[in-house]
Amino acid sequence: MKACWKKEKPPEIERRIKSNDPEHNAQYEYANNFISTSKYNIFTFLPKNLFEQFQRLANAYFLGLLILQLLPVISSLTPLTTVIPLVAVLLVTAIKDAVDDFQRHKNDDIVNNRLSYVLRDGKLIEERWHKVMVGDIIKLNNNDFVAADLLLLSASEPNSLCYIETAELDGETNLKVKQAIDETAQLEDNHDLMSEFSAELLCEPPNNRLSKFDGKLTYNRKEYSLDNEKVLLRGCILRNTAWCYGLVIFAGRDTKLMMNSGKTKFKRTHIDRLMNLLIIGIFLFLVTMCLICTVACGVWESFIGYDFQAYLPWESFVPTSKETGSATIAVLVFLSYIIILNTVVPISLYVSVEIIRLVNSLWINWDVKLYYDKKDTPAKARTTTLNEELGQIEYIFSDKTGTLTQNIMTFNKCSINGKSYGDPIDELGNMLEISERTPKVDFSDNSYAEPTFDFYDKRLLEDIHSGVKETEAFFRNLALCHTVMPETKKDGRLEYQAQSPDEGALVSAARNFGFVFKSRTPSTITIEVNGETEIYELLCILDFNNVRKRMSVIVRKDGKITLYCKGADSIIFERLDPSCSQLKELTLSHLNEFAQTGLRTLCLAQKELQPDVYNKWKEKHQAASVTLDNRDDALDGVYEEIEKNMILVGATAIEDKLQDGVPEAIANLALAGIKIWVLTGDKQETAINIGYSCRLLTEEMEEPFIISAESCEEVQKELQTALDEVKKAKTAGAGRNDVGVIIANGGGGQAVYNGTNGHLPTQQEEYGDFALVINGHSLVYALKPELEGLFLELGCSCKAIICCRVTPLQKALVVDLVKRSKKSITLAIGDGANDVSMIKMAHIGVGISGQEGMQAVLASDYSMAQFRYLERLLLVHGRWSYLRMCKFLRYFFYKNFAFTLCHFWFAFFCGFSAQTLYDPYFISLYNVFYTSLPVLVLGMLDQDVNDDYSIRYPKLYTPGLQDALFNKRKFLWSVCEGVISSLIMFFIPYGAFLYTHGVSGYDLADMQSFGTVVAAILVVATNLRCALDTSYWTGFNHFVMWGSIIYYFCFILAFYSEGIGYSYVGVALSVFSSANFWLCLLLTCTLLIVPVVAYRFYTSNINPTLSDKVRLRQRIKKTKSRSRDLNFRRQSTMRRSTRSMRSGYAFAHQEGFGELITSGINMRERAEDKHKEPVTLTKITRHDSTRQKPPPVEPNSNIVFVEHL
């Protein structure tokens, strides 16, 4: 905490730094490089931790009860009954917090005490990180961590190149290239020059933008523009670079890494929110019982107690008059009963819930079936508070590229000068179907060709050999217009490192067709065309960003200046010369054909520039590149001027393969009643086709509703028309099915389950009739307040929804709309930085560790390697967690109401004097030792059916969608059971022991004996009830179940023995040696258990749930002889469509190396990386869907799953 008397530092507007001038920099009071991620120290731990714990309402509530118990005038219980559980809870939580914080301290100490070489007084000294200050000059060696955010001054590589790994920042392991400006690069590794280096840096204030930096360096009276490519961020590692020097810009908590280490948004489950409401209701119930006892006490004292003061004298402070005295005692009794009956809300409930959630999270982490061995990536629960919410997901919002698809690109087809290439043809010009026997194009005459590259249309290679100019221009564009970095290995292999897989695939395609990108410098690009070297002067790179959706390069060769451009078709077509109109129509036709087969498309264009035009434009570009005000907007405006009136060259078509198991997972999740919305940046055609590829869209559906209007009125009209058609179809189809429970999966897409006969879904029930596809520009209007209701109603009436051309913000807004309006549990899943906002917005965020880095994983609640694992995460772990938590809560409330209400019944026999029925120590230990372990094990291990059947029968997920296993009704049922059980537990022993004598002739009807009898029956009966609720028995269940009962009897016999000398000495031996007790125990447990067994037997046989039926089949399968093995078939969760497998295209979502390449440095072959190979993009293969052999099925049958009973 900041000292209250310390003046708060005003927020920074800009940062000014002078190199080698610590006195000047000290006046600004910039943060030093010490970091602390811990919450406590040795002095603040106890007060701060207790303060945080008592901010929880439950802990504060029990602290208030403890204070009341310290007042002997109102408390008939020893304070130990509350002190023991409260201290236990506080202690366990404090130990957990202390261990976590100790680990943070250790990590902080490791980081703060790392060593760096710092230039001080002309000498390079070894200094600990926490002593590094803003303005210091640091030297880093190869494989060193970057100590703070640095401006790169010089480096060992040619022209001050250096390579860094940013895995700690964004999870990406491919190397990034950074560069110093030429003027500081001349300082090299010279300590004297570095010590004399005097420059002033003006830059942006500390912020959390990892990919952006704006600054200006003034050196030798000249100003130099600084951007993110000249900055090394804390947390990076220097790779393949012998040394480099950097000037500290931001240190410690001001570094971008620490600025991004904000607190994770706290998420609460639906059950948590319901629990808060129920706790309020329980407290009101508690107050009601206390008021009843208070009124009754006042009446009793007025009519009976007042006249018996000789036997039961009133306290001295109580007024002597009947009315006033009785009222005073009644008020005190109210507080006393608040203390006695508080166990109806036990503090151990909260601890038990957290333990169960922790263990269920570990099951996810340890599940080998969620482990992806190809990348050595297990699933990980990054939170422990949301497990049961996984069993209640109603809406899934999924990204497409890299989530449903692999984000591994293969070059399949292209269009050049109005001619389409890619499909093999025979001698007569007829198109052939690609099969294993289809001959591939022979690239053996190209020494740079990749053996894994497959292409089937030999006409393209023939045109190149024939010298067709348009074809050469096409591949020359691919070989020149990119930001790929080449690298030649020791064995001579040429490999490429690209910022995106699609760009790597295009450059590799050009390489295989003889246009080999060999090397680059900041001012040249070298390619080899059919064995001849061509060197182009690189004048400028107009890099890609999400707004431009295109990139260009300007090169010069033999005095001719040419602009090459590639980008999204809609962007390129807007900037073409009018003379290309006919070619544009032909190319557009080919693009549509490519999209129909599910390929990702890209257009190429070029333009010749006159030298005077280019020179004028270059001046504008230079001015825009050094401005500090809206530099990006200024550059985009300059780019726009030159990228117009271009000539269309052609188009490319790349395939992005689906991940394994995606269609089956989506089909099964849809059968479970979960609605799946795909939110993608792809164009409409490719988005639709990927929908068919992954079976989100099916042949049984009507044609999707397309919403693509560009005005608010037109969007409203299209939405309303579509909704009217859906309602019309639903009205026409009403009454067709006589069903029990309808699982809403959108409009006509209802999945039906009849609980009375275990009906399994039919084809009609598996799939609905309608799908909705909406474009991003239409979504802008659909998300406005006046249209969002209409959009949501239509979307929820359709089975499949695809939103295409959407921005990251629109993804989050769609999730928020459903989350707010439907009050349903949502899940968002994605793999890239553009999915982070969606992941954070949803109730549960799942990150895919894919090709686009780890940004989505770092923002997620759960992470996994493949989309198909989501099926198991929800249908197995989510369903089990929800089932376990609901069982736990129902049982917990049952046993505590049964326990507490016995006090209430006893009040009618003790004159409402707040006398306790049980031994005070029994009250303290009941929820901690006697009944806690069995229900904890149930909450950790229980399962109604195994994981295999949970996936085979996705409709088992339905109770979670309907919130059927724990709700207000189930809670009230548990309370009623607890009340009835307390009546039986109290009055049967009361009647049985009222006139009972022991073997020795002593009376067994004393209060201590009666309390011991009821307590023993309570422990046995509640543990037996837990056994009845347990569906999955292990040795651990048996141990804790029967062990808890045995432990109770052994402990009570020992504790009530003469050796301890407790006030209950001898009571346990006297009671347990009586036959009356054992007969009473048997009778009471029979009355409590048998009706429950009978009711469950009746319901499971007469009106079984699907869970009952599947559990029976599971049991039969285990017990039947293999010789009598039977085949049981169920409807497939997957349909084979007649459509071809499809995918779609989305251009790279990040900037390339453009700014680096044009900065004026020579980028030759990098030093060998002895520790880590860079990303290789050389293995490019063409996906052949016909090679995928479907599983064997019977002819004309849709049956996929065959189950043996």
Side-chain angles (χ1 to χ4, degrees):
M1 282 193 229
K2 293 182 180 179
C4 59
W5 59 84
K6 186 175 180 180
K7 184 177 180 181
E8 186 175 352
K9 181 183 174 183
E12 283 188 56
I13 300 175
E14 60 184 16
R15 175 159 290 204
R16 293 182 176 273
I17 303 170
K18 283 189 177 181
S19 59
N20 293 314
D21 193 345
E23 294 182 359
H24 175 271
N25 298 325
Q27 66 179 315
Y28 298 109
E29 298 181 356
Y30 295 138
N32 59 25
N33 207 36
F34 177 83
I35 65 162
S36 175
T37 60
S38 59
K39 296 169 62 177
Y40 317 106
N41 58 42
I42 193 171
F43 301 107
T44 64
F45 174 76
L46 188 60
K48 194 172 181 180
N49 185 262
L50 288 176
F51 176 75
E52 289 177 350
Q53 291 203 56
F54 283 118
Q55 284 183 316
R56 295 182 62 181
L57 187 60
N59 290 343
Y61 168 70
F62 286 103
L63 178 62
L65 289 175
L66 176 59
I67 294 172
L68 290 177
Q69 285 182 290
L70 294 175
L71 304 176
V73 68
I74 62 171
S75 178
S76 57
L77 283 177
T78 171
L80 291 177
T81 58
T82 301
V83 168
I84 292 176
L86 180 60
V87 169
V89 169
L90 295 176
L91 187 62
V92 169
T93 306
I95 291 174
K96 174 181 174 296
D97 291 342
V99 170
D100 291 343
D101 205 60
F102 178 71
Q103 191 62 45
R104 286 190 286 264
H105 271 286
K106 285 181 61 178
N107 294 336
D108 289 346
D109 288 341
I110 291 173
V111 172
N112 286 324
N113 288 296
R114 285 175 178 166
L115 297 176
S116 278
Y117 290 98
V118 182
L119 200 61
R120 297 272 171 83
D121 300 325
K123 297 181 180 179
L124 202 62
I125 64 171
E126 207 170 35
E127 191 69 278
R128 298 188 184 276
W129 274 23
H130 67 87
K131 295 183 179 180
V132 172
M133 307 294 291
V134 172
D136 284 346
I137 294 178
I138 295 179
K139 180 181 180 181
L140 299 175
N141 295 317
N142 192 34
N143 297 324
D144 279 353
F145 280 93
V146 179
D149 292 352
L150 309 176
L151 170 65
L152 182 62
L153 298 177
S154 65
S156 61
E157 298 303 289
N159 296 292
S160 289
L161 272 179
C162 78
Y163 304 94
I164 59 169
E165 180 183 297
T166 60
E168 190 171 331
L169 281 175
D170 56 18
E172 296 183 7
T173 54
N174 55 315
L175 300 183
K176 307 291 193 307
V177 184
K178 300 290 182 177
Q179 55 153 8
I181 60 176
D182 289 342
E183 286 68 20
T184 61
Q186 298 172 4
L187 301 175
E188 297 184 337
D189 189 14
N190 190 315
H191 297 170
D192 294 333
L193 291 178
M194 281 291 177
S195 299
E196 296 172 359
F197 174 65
S198 178
E200 184 173 359
L201 175 67
L202 175 64
C203 69
E204 62 189 19
N207 60 74
N208 61 359
R209 294 175 295 176
L210 295 175
S211 59
K212 187 174 178 60
F213 177 82
D214 289 329
K216 181 173 63 175
L217 183 71
T218 303
Y219 179 49
N220 290 337
R221 298 182 180 180
K222 292 184 179 180
E223 293 183 350
Y224 303 94
S225 171
L226 303 178
D227 56 25
N228 200 52
E229 300 304 320
K230 300 173 180 62
V231 174
L232 310 183
L233 299 183
R234 179 187 179 119
C236 300
I237 303 175
L238 190 68
R239 299 291 193 194
N240 290 357
T241 307
W243 52 264
C244 75
Y245 284 85
L247 173 68
V248 177
I249 306 172
F250 303 121
R253 63 174 182 271
D254 289 343
T255 59
K256 291 182 182 286
L257 174 65
M258 297 305 296
M259 296 285 282
N260 276 278
S261 302
K263 294 182 179 179
T264 304
K265 183 180 178 182
F266 180 69
K267 296 182 178 180
R268 293 192 304 169
T269 66
H270 169 72
I271 286 182
D272 280 336
R273 294 188 292 272
L274 177 61
M275 281 283 293
N276 288 339
L277 186 63
L278 295 180
I279 293 300
I280 295 174
I282 292 172
F283 182 75
L284 294 177
F285 178 73
L286 170 63
V287 171
T288 302
M289 288 194 297
C290 294
L291 287 174
I292 292 173
C293 293
T294 298
V295 174
C297 176
V299 173
W300 192 89
E301 290 292 346
S302 297
F303 289 93
I304 300 175
Y306 181 78
D307 298 324
F308 278 83
Q309 292 190 52
Y311 177 66
L312 292 173
W314 287 0
E315 296 288 346
S316 58
F317 58 82
V318 176
T320 56
S321 67
K322 178 186 292 188
E323 292 77 10
T324 308
S326 299
T328 302
I329 294 174
V331 171
L332 296 176
V333 162
F334 175 82
L335 298 176
S336 298
Y337 273 109
I338 287 286
I339 297 171
I340 293 174
L341 302 178
N342 78 84
T343 50
V344 76
V345 189
I347 193 171
S348 58
L349 170 66
Y350 298 94
V351 179
S352 301
V353 165
E354 294 304 320
I355 293 174
I356 290 171
R357 285 173 171 168
L358 173 63
V359 173
N360 283 317
S361 297
L362 294 177
W363 296 147
I364 295 174
N365 296 345
W366 296 339
D367 190 348
V368 295
K369 293 184 180 180
L370 295 179
Y371 171 73
Y372 190 53
D373 55 354
K374 291 183 180 179
K375 290 189 176 181
D376 189 27
T377 306
K380 182 174 179 59
R382 297 171 54 84
T383 179
T384 62
T385 60
L386 303 174
N387 298 319
E388 64 269 18
E389 197 115 283
L390 290 171
Q392 296 183 278
I393 300 299
E394 190 170 353
Y395 289 90
I396 292 176
F397 299 90
S398 175
D399 177 41
K400 182 191 74 67
T401 305
T403 302
L404 301 178
T405 61
Q406 298 181 27
N407 205 17
I408 298 176
M409 314 305 168
T410 57
F411 181 85
N412 273 24
K413 298 180 181 181
C414 62
S415 171
I416 304 174
N417 195 32
K419 185 177 180 180
S420 178
Y421 297 91
D423 292 314
I425 58 174
D426 59 17
E427 297 177 354
L428 301 177
N430 298 318
M431 189 179 300
L432 300 175
E433 184 178 352
I434 297 176
S435 66
E436 293 182 1
R437 298 183 180 180
T438 304
K440 303 175 184 178
V441 175
D442 183 12
F443 296 104
S444 58
D445 59 338
N446 181 0
S447 60
Y448 289 98
E450 299 163 305
T452 56
F453 181 79
D454 296 336
F455 201 77
Y456 296 89
D457 190 351
K458 61 183 180 181
R459 296 176 299 159
L460 185 55
L461 190 60
E462 290 172 354
D463 285 354
I464 292 175
H465 290 162
S466 301
V468 177
K469 293 183 179 179
E470 292 81 4
T471 306
E472 291 182 348
F474 176 87
F475 282 106
R476 192 169 275 108
N477 189 312
L478 293 182
L480 294 172
C481 185
H482 56 80
T483 59
V484 172
M485 306 293 290
E487 183 172 18
T488 304
K489 296 294 183 181
K490 279 189 173 182
D491 57 4
R493 288 185 298 110
L494 178 63
E495 293 186 355
Y496 298 140
Q497 183 170 347
Q499 288 287 81
S500 64
D502 47 6
E503 190 169 56
L506 293 175
V507 177
S508 293
R511 163 187 180 167
N512 285 280
F513 280 99
F515 291 74
V516 185
F517 168 56
K518 296 289 293 294
S519 64
R520 69 161 75 244
T521 70
S523 58
T524 63
I525 298 177
T526 303
I527 64 173
E528 184 176 303
V529 179
N530 296 323
E532 296 183 4
T533 300
E534 296 181 1
I535 301 177
Y536 291 80
E537 181 184 358
L538 179 60
L539 301 179
C540 189
I541 291 182
L542 287 60
D543 211 349
F544 169 86
N545 63 40
N546 283 325
V547 177
R548 285 168 38 76
K549 296 183 179 179
R550 65 190 184 278
M551 76 157 291
S552 302
V553 296
I554 301 176
V555 296
R556 178 162 51 199
K557 186 176 188 298
D558 300 330
K560 186 171 71 173
I561 301 176
T562 307
L563 178 145
Y564 292 99
C565 181
K566 67 180 181 184
D569 52 4
S570 59
I571 301 296
I572 298 297
F573 284 168
E574 293 174 356
R575 291 160 176 79
L576 293 179
D577 190 82
S579 62
C580 299
S581 58
Q582 186 175 355
L583 179 58
K584 174 182 172 181
E585 294 299 323
L586 287 172
T587 305
L588 183 60
S589 175
H590 293 156
L591 287 171
N592 290 332
E593 291 176 7
F594 298 157
Q596 286 298 316
T597 55
L599 301 177
R600 297 156 60 97
T601 56
L602 186 72
C603 284
L604 309 180
Q606 67 182 46
K607 174 185 178 181
E608 290 190 16
L609 301 175
Q610 296 301 319
D612 57 338
V613 174
Y614 169 74
N615 291 333
K616 292 180 181 178
W617 176 86
K618 185 62 178 177
E619 292 177 1
K620 296 180 180 179
H621 176 262
Q622 177 64 24
S625 65
V626 297
T627 182
L628 289 179
D629 298 328
N630 298 320
R631 181 184 298 175
D632 290 341
D633 294 339
L635 285 173
D636 286 347
V638 174
Y639 294 163
E640 192 74 28
E641 291 183 17
I642 198 88
E643 293 173 324
K644 59 184 179 181
N645 297 324
M646 296 184 291
I647 303 299
L648 182 62
V649 176
T652 62
I654 299 175
E655 180 182 17
D656 186 7
K657 299 179 182 179
L658 276 177
Q659 291 184 11
D660 295 337
V662 167
E664 295 83 358
I666 287 180
N668 227 23
L669 291 170
L671 268 180
I674 300 173
K675 293 82 153 175
I676 302 175
W677 293 33
V678 173
L679 312 177
T680 177
D682 286 353
K683 56 194 272 188
Q684 176 181 304
E685 293 80 6
T686 51
I688 292 175
N689 287 299
I690 199 67
Y692 282 104
S693 298
C694 64
R695 293 184 174 86
L696 183 66
L697 305 178
T698 65
E699 294 294 340
E700 287 75 14
M701 292 180 179
E702 300 288 340
E703 282 298 312
F705 296 118
I706 307 295
I707 310 298
S708 57
E710 298 189 7
S711 70
C712 187
E713 294 76 13
E714 291 176 353
V715 169
Q716 182 177 10
K717 182 179 179 181
E718 290 184 358
L719 290 172
Q720 189 62 56
T721 301
L723 184 59
D724 291 341
E725 288 190 33
V726 172
K727 289 181 177 179
K728 181 179 178 181
K730 290 175 68 176
T731 303
R736 287 180 299 177
N737 297 315
D738 182 17
V739 300
V741 179
I742 296 179
I743 306 165
N745 200 20
Q750 291 176 338
V752 182
Y753 165 65
N754 189 322
T756 60
N757 56 18
H759 170 71
L760 294 173
T762 64
Q763 291 182 10
Q764 177 64 28
E765 294 159 359
E766 285 193 16
Y767 296 102
D769 301 320
F770 300 102
L772 173 66
V773 178
I774 183 168
N775 281 276
H777 54 262
S778 301
L779 193 60
V780 172
Y781 302 105
L783 291 173
K784 288 188 174 181
E786 57 268 24
L787 291 185
E788 65 178 14
L790 180 62
F791 168 60
L792 183 65
E793 184 180 359
L794 176 60
C796 294
S797 299
C798 295
K799 179 177 177 66
I801 296 89
I802 298 176
C803 302
C804 53
R805 295 290 197 192
V806 295
T807 65
L809 178 60
Q810 286 179 321
K811 291 183 178 183
L813 291 175
V814 171
V815 175
D816 183 52
L817 174 62
V818 176
K819 183 179 174 182
R820 282 186 291 107
S821 304
K822 298 298 292 182
K823 306 299 181 184
S824 301
I825 309 302
T826 59
L827 180 147
I829 179 170
D831 73 317
N834 59 332
D835 302 315
V836 168
S837 57
M838 173 178 70
I839 286 172
K840 288 184 175 180
M841 180 60 70
H843 290 97
I844 292 180
V846 178
I848 300 290
S849 50
Q851 302 292 323
E852 297 185 25
M854 299 285 286
Q855 297 96 325
V857 169
L858 297 176
S860 67
D861 304 304
Y862 298 88
S863 64
M864 57 184 64
Q866 296 275 285
F867 178 89
R868 69 176 186 268
Y869 295 147
L870 184 64
E871 177 187 25
R872 182 173 179 85
L873 182 68
L874 300 188
L875 301 187
V876 178
H877 290 286
R879 199 181 70 83
W880 279 352
S881 295
Y882 175 68
L883 173 73
R884 292 164 181 168
M885 185 59 68
C886 292
K887 274 191 174 185
F888 166 80
L889 292 173
R890 292 200 308 265
Y891 170 77
F892 211 95
F893 284 120
Y894 158 77
K895 76 182 182 73
N896 279 282
F897 270 87
F899 166 60
T900 305
L901 266 292
C902 289
H903 279 301
F904 183 69
W905 309 133
F906 184 65
F908 290 87
F909 297 89
C910 68
F912 305 97
S913 60
Q915 174 63 50
T916 58
L917 171 63
Y918 308 116
D919 171 13
Y921 283 98
F922 175 82
I923 297 174
S924 300
L925 302 178
Y926 173 74
N927 280 308
V928 178
F929 295 112
Y930 301 150
T931 59
S932 61
L933 290 181
V935 71
L936 272 178
V937 174
L938 179 144
M940 297 173 189
L941 303 177
D942 201 51
Q943 49 184 264
D944 53 349
V945 299
N946 62 29
D947 56 341
D948 181 48
Y949 281 89
S950 294
I951 293 177
R952 290 189 187 188
Y953 296 94
K955 287 189 178 301
L956 289 168
Y957 194 79
T958 304
L961 294 177
Q962 298 175 335
D963 198 19
L965 298 185
F966 187 76
N967 48 44
K968 295 175 185 176
R969 183 179 176 182
K970 292 289 184 182
F971 167 74
L972 290 175
W973 181 259
S974 297
V975 169
C976 291
E977 283 190 290
V979 172
I980 295 171
S981 296
S982 68
L983 285 167
I984 295 173
M985 289 179 189
F986 182 84
F987 285 102
I988 287 185
Y990 177 79
F993 281 82
L994 184 58
Y995 301 109
T996 303
H997 295 81
V999 178
S1000 59
Y1002 289 104
D1003 190 359
L1004 290 180
D1006 63 278
M1007 189 187 72
Q1008 291 183 341
S1009 298
F1010 178 63
T1012 303
V1013 170
V1014 175
I1017 293 174
L1018 179 68
V1019 170
V1020 174
T1022 52
N1023 279 295
L1024 288 178
R1025 176 59 183 272
C1026 186
L1028 196 60
D1029 288 343
T1030 301
S1031 301
Y1032 182 71
W1033 282 88
T1034 65
F1036 203 46
N1037 290 83
H1038 285 286
F1039 175 77
V1040 297
M1041 191 73 66
W1042 315 122
S1044 294
I1045 297 175
I1046 295 171
Y1047 169 78
Y1048 167 75
F1049 283 102
C1050 294
F1051 178 81
I1052 289 299
L1053 284 170
F1055 189 58
Y1056 290 180
S1057 65
E1058 294 182 359
I1060 302 296
Y1062 183 53
S1063 59
Y1064 276 63
V1065 62
V1067 172
L1069 184 61
S1070 174
V1071 171
F1072 297 159
S1073 62
S1074 169
N1076 294 50
F1077 165 75
W1078 298 104
L1079 290 173
C1080 181
L1081 175 66
L1082 179 62
L1083 175 62
T1084 308
C1085 290
T1086 301
L1087 288 175
L1088 289 172
I1089 299 300
V1090 170
V1092 178
V1093 173
Y1095 173 76
R1096 295 185 181 181
F1097 178 80
Y1098 174 82
T1099 54
S1100 62
N1101 282 273
I1102 304 303
N1103 189 23
T1105 64
L1106 182 59
S1107 177
D1108 294 330
K1109 293 187 173 186
V1110 175
R1111 188 160 60 248
L1112 177 62
R1113 286 175 177 154
Q1114 178 179 310
R1115 237 182 340 251
I1116 292 174
K1117 185 176 180 180
K1118 289 182 179 179
T1119 56
K1120 275 207 169 186
S1121 168
R1122 290 187 179 180
S1123 61
R1124 300 179 60 191
D1125 204 23
L1126 300 175
N1127 285 340
F1128 171 77
R1129 295 170 181 169
R1130 77 174 182 90
Q1131 194 68 31
S1132 169
T1133 62
M1134 177 180 68
R1135 295 184 58 84
R1136 290 193 297 276
S1137 171
T1138 58
R1139 294 179 184 258
S1140 61
M1141 293 293 287
R1142 312 178 187 211
S1143 65
Y1145 175 79
F1147 201 60
H1149 287 293
Q1150 55 185 330
E1151 295 189 17
F1153 293 127
E1155 196 65 32
L1156 166 66
I1157 294 167
T1158 59
S1159 59
I1161 61 170
N1162 184 16
M1163 298 192 300
R1164 60 180 173 82
E1165 181 180 358
R1166 285 187 272 171
E1168 180 184 2
D1169 185 352
K1170 298 181 180 180
H1171 300 276
K1172 190 176 188 66
E1173 287 292 329
V1175 175
T1176 303
L1177 295 172
T1178 57
K1179 297 182 179 180
I1180 308 297
T1181 59
R1182 186 183 190 281
H1183 172 61
D1184 184 0
S1185 60
T1186 60
R1187 297 182 184 178
Q1188 298 179 357
K1189 297 182 179 180
V1193 297
E1194 298 178 11
N1196 302 322
S1197 171
N1198 284 329
I1199 296 174
V1200 174
F1201 297 97
V1202 177
E1203 179 184 342
H1204 300 286
L1205 289 183

